[in-house]
Amino acid sequence: DAGITQSPRHKVTETGTPVTLRCHQTENHRYMYWYRQDPGHGLRLIHYSYGVKDTDKGEVSDGYSVSRSKTEDFLLTLESATSSQTSVYFCAISESARERETQYFGPGTRLLVL
Amino acid sequence: DAKTTQPPSMDCAEGRAANLPCNHSTISGNEYVYWYRQIHSQGPQYIIHGLKNNETNEMASLIITEDRKSSTLILPHATLRDTAVYYCIVRAYSGAGSYQLTFGKGTKLSVIP
C-alpha cells in the first residue's frame, strides 16, 4: 500500500470553528488530492496540488483552503466549519497527472460538525 | 470523462469467480478504464486499469471488449474479504495539469460463504 497517512482519523467540532486536516505521504509523489465522500454523491474533488505551493480548485472547493509547503504534506483547512462539511475526507496521491497514472488513497478522516 | 453503468449489486459464492460488468459506451480512444474498490469505512483501493488489451495482476483480471464499450473485472477466487463496493471509472487527461477520478455508485459485491 502507498505510504499515505491522514490525521486526525476522527474529529468532532462545532460550527464556526476552524479545522485543519493533514495528509502525509512518504512516496515523494508530485500530485496530492483532497476528496470528500458523502452518501449519494460518491467522491468529489475539493482541491489538488501539483507541486510545492502549487494548488488548484476542484469540483467542490467553496469553504475550503489548502496549503502545501513540503512535498510530503498537504493540508486541508475549513476556515469556519459548517454542518454541511460533515463528511469523510480522503487524501490521494499520484506521481503524475497522465491518464494512465494511478491515484492511491489514504485511510480517510471522519469529520462531524455539530 | 465517459460515463459508466454498473449493476448496483451482485452476489458471489466464496471460492468462485466474481465477474463484475461495466458499460462505457461513450468511451473515447485515449480514455483508460480503471477499477477501484472500497471496503466499508476504508479508502478506495486501486485494483487494475487498462486501455485496450486485457490486463492481469495479482488481484484481478480486466477484460475489455474489442470495441471498448464495455469491460469486466474478474476476481478469480472470491473470498469474504472481497466484499466491497467496486467502482469502474474511465478517465482522460484534462490538459489542465490534473483531473479527478469520477466515482459513480459502483457495484456492491457480496461474497457469500
Side-chain angles (χ1 to χ4, degrees):
Chain A
D1 290 341
I4 310 169
T5 56
Q6 293 184 230
S7 59
R9 294 293 313 280
H10 302 269
K11 186 169 182 66
V12 179
T13 191
E14 293 186 349
T15 298
T17 60
V19 176
T20 296
L21 309 182
R22 179 183 184 235
C23 177
H24 179 79
Q25 59 143 332
T26 58
E27 305 297 321
N28 200 36
H29 283 1
R30 180 181 174 191
Y31 286 81
M32 299 185 75
Y33 312 79
W34 277 108
Y35 290 84
R36 61 178 288 175
Q37 186 174 34
D38 306 289
H41 289 279
L43 273 80
R44 294 179 291 175
L45 183 68
I46 306 171
H47 283 278
Y48 66 92
S49 169
Y50 48 97
V52 173
K53 297 186 179 180
D54 293 322
T55 65
D56 206 348
K57 296 179 179 180
E59 178 187 1
V60 290
S61 60
D62 288 347
Y64 302 95
S65 62
V66 290
S67 65
R68 191 164 177 205
S69 59
K70 298 184 292 184
T71 298
E72 57 266 35
D73 289 325
F74 192 31
L75 304 181
L76 177 71
T77 297
L78 291 65
E79 300 290 347
S80 179
T82 67
S83 58
S84 64
Q85 294 176 311
T86 291
S87 187
V88 182
Y89 291 86
F90 290 103
C91 172
I93 65 173
S94 66
E95 285 192 79
S96 74
R98 289 192 291 265
E99 62 277 5
R100 61 182 180 274
E101 196 63 59
T102 300
Q103 290 185 22
Y104 296 96
F105 286 80
T109 294
R110 291 185 175 276
L111 176 66
L112 174 61
V113 183
L114 300 175
Chain B
D1 292 349
K3 290 186 177 180
T4 61
T5 303
Q6 298 178 253
S9 64
M10 293 181 63
D11 291 339
C12 177
E14 188 178 16
R16 304 296 295 269
N19 296 275
L20 292 91
C22 179
N23 287 322
H24 32 79
S25 58
T26 60
I27 194 170
S28 60
N30 64 339
E31 289 185 318
Y32 282 71
V33 179
Y34 274 75
W35 283 83
Y36 282 78
R37 72 181 182 184
Q38 190 170 22
I39 298 170
H40 183 62
S41 299
Q42 297 182 19
Q45 179 187 20
Y46 165 76
I47 301 174
I48 199 167
H49 73 281
L51 182 62
K52 295 180 181 178
N53 300 321
N54 299 336
E55 302 287 345
T56 296
N57 63 20
E58 65 278 3
M59 289 184 66
S61 295
L62 174 60
I63 308 298
I64 303 174
T65 58
E66 191 170 345
D67 62 8
R68 304 209 325 121
K69 293 185 177 182
S70 65
S71 60
T72 301
L73 178 74
I74 301 172
L75 308 178
H77 304 286
T79 70
L80 298 178
R81 288 180 296 179
D82 292 322
T83 292
V85 179
Y86 287 76
Y87 297 97
C88 170
I89 302 162
V90 296
R91 61 192 297 208
Y93 183 57
S94 69
S98 187
Y99 54 96
Q100 69 182 71
L101 289 171
T102 302
F103 286 74
K105 295 184 178 180
T107 296
K108 168 66 174 171
L109 175 68
S110 299
V111 180
I112 311 300

